[in-house]
Amino acid sequence: GAGVSQTPSNKVTEKGKYVELRCDPISGHTALYWYRQSLGQGPEFLIYFQGTGAADDSGLPNDRFFAVRPEGSVSTLKIQRTERGDSAVYLCASSYGLASDTQYFGPGTRLTVL
Amino acid sequence: GDSVTQMEGPVTLSEEAFLTINCTYTATGYPSLFWYVQYPGEGLQLLLKATKADDKGSNKGFEATYRKETTSFHLEKGSVQVSDSAVYFCALSDYGNKLVFGAGTILRVKS
């Protein structure tokens, strides 16, 4: 079936604006993860959903970042009052949710804050 | 907290050379260990994994053995190809599924 999809693939915004990034996981995957990858670095964990609830949001850098998954499928990562330091590739992954399950990654959304 | 350290790149090899990319980890529990690969223009994909000590993960000619005594998970391949050129990430998952990644190692294979 289809893999993890993310939209948009690229987003350019101005400092202070609000952005939403969308993730469509693989059908049947109950676990969904958001990561952020800065240039030359490995992905850093942001938040993990099991079903509709956030099971671990310890990676969200501050209260400008928020994510939802209202129906247990599609997820939206929301960033308020964007800053230039938020520029990065935002990756979404999904899995069946069991420990050590393979996480399947989407292509990412490249966010640029001017 | 948990962390992963991998050798800095770029690593440049000739075709058919032997590859080793070193990876060591720090974790409070008994993590699962992974190697992910990112080919140019593509997303991250799992290359191999090992879930307990002494397990060997293997795929596409790549191998890595989970060494608890040295907290290592080094990636090896006996004969690299140009098509192996990519960025390789070592990662661990401990207590709760989230992945902790190393900084990545760029591999360039010349023909």
Side-chain angles (χ1 to χ4, degrees):
Chain A
V4 178
S5 62
Q6 293 186 246
T7 54
S9 56
N10 278 285
K11 177 71 176 177
V12 180
T13 190
E14 293 179 344
K15 181 174 178 295
K17 299 289 188 182
Y18 168 83
V19 297
E20 290 189 351
L21 312 179
R22 177 188 167 107
C23 172
D24 271 283
I26 292 172
S27 178
H29 280 186
T30 59
L32 185 145
Y33 310 80
W34 285 99
Y35 296 85
R36 178 168 71 173
Q37 186 174 19
S38 300
L39 194 62
Q41 300 296 318
E44 292 181 304
F45 169 78
L46 295 176
I47 186 169
Y48 153 53
F49 288 89
Q50 183 63 257
T52 59
D56 183 352
D57 64 358
S58 62
L60 294 177
N62 51 59
D63 60 6
R64 295 187 298 105
F65 289 75
F66 190 70
V68 296
R69 195 185 184 201
E71 296 177 359
S73 179
V74 170
S75 176
T76 305
L77 178 66
K78 308 180 181 196
I79 311 174
Q80 298 178 320
R81 305 182 305 278
T82 52
E83 299 177 358
R84 292 195 180 88
D86 298 335
S87 296
V89 176
Y90 289 80
L91 298 171
C92 177
S94 70
S95 77
Y96 285 111
L98 301 176
S100 77
D101 258 358
T102 298
Q103 294 184 25
Y104 296 87
F105 282 80
T109 293
R110 182 175 298 278
L111 175 66
T112 304
V113 182
L114 300 177
Chain B
D2 295 350
S3 66
V4 174
T5 303
Q6 58 183 108
M7 65 189 286
E8 291 189 19
V11 174
T12 303
L13 297 172
S14 297
E15 229 175 359
E16 299 183 5
F18 184 84
L19 167 71
T20 300
I21 300 178
N22 289 338
C23 170
T24 57
Y25 68 90
T26 302
T28 52
Y30 300 95
S32 295
L33 302 174
F34 305 81
W35 277 100
Y36 276 82
V37 59
Q38 191 167 35
Y39 297 103
E42 298 185 17
L44 270 172
Q45 54 186 276
L46 180 69
L47 181 60
L48 53 84
K49 69 179 185 182
T51 57
K52 61 182 187 299
D54 300 324
D55 269 2
K56 178 185 284 188
S58 61
N59 186 25
K60 298 182 181 180
F62 291 88
E63 292 184 339
T65 301
Y66 189 144
R67 301 285 188 201
K68 185 169 178 289
E69 63 277 12
T70 55
T71 62
S72 65
F73 193 55
H74 304 321
L75 182 68
E76 296 182 336
K77 186 175 186 184
S79 176
V80 293
Q81 305 300 311
V82 172
S83 57
D84 294 326
S85 297
V87 184
Y88 292 81
F89 293 93
C90 185
L92 68 80
S93 176
D94 194 8
Y95 298 135
N97 300 326
K98 69 182 181 187
L99 290 167
V100 176
F101 286 88
T105 302
I106 297 171
L107 172 65
R108 297 181 180 139
V109 181
K110 302 184 299 185
S111 59

